[in-house]
Amino acid sequence: MWPSCWTRPCTTSSTAGWACATTTPSPSPPEPIRPLLPAEPVGDLLELHRAAGIQLRVLDNLWPYWAAVTGSSPGSSGIRLRNAKPAPADPGPAG
């Protein structure tokens, strides 16, 4: 029985690789993780986003925008903000 936080080499499949860890121990082996397929060209990625109605923003300083979002929207998530540059003492106006 393997603890839920471990992964181990897959021994139940002909596919080489690692096995997924489960949240609860199980007598059956976990399902194998299969490698991704090679990357495929998708064309103009910015145009695809525009056509899908996805708004992209490139900002040197995220924090004025984030201050505007959190001041106007309930339930905002900043899960990736740890990857941003540090917030200045005064984020300034959103632009």
Side-chain angles (χ1 to χ4, degrees):
M1 192 73 64
W2 291 80
S4 62
C5 59
W6 289 8
T7 58
R8 61 188 174 96
C10 181
T11 57
T12 60
S13 170
S14 60
T15 304
W18 290 86
C20 298
T22 59
T23 55
T24 56
S26 170
S28 59
E31 202 173 303
I33 296 174
R34 292 179 175 74
L36 294 175
L37 298 174
E40 295 180 18
V42 294
D44 185 343
L45 193 55
L46 292 177
E47 173 56 27
L48 291 170
H49 279 76
R50 188 206 58 77
I54 299 170
Q55 186 181 82
L56 298 176
R57 295 179 184 227
V58 178
L59 305 168
D60 287 331
N61 183 356
L62 173 65
W63 298 103
Y65 173 73
W66 183 244
V69 168
T70 57
S72 65
S73 301
S76 301
S77 172
I79 194 166
R80 298 284 183 189
L81 289 174
R82 70 174 180 269
N83 298 329
K85 292 178 185 176
D90 177 16

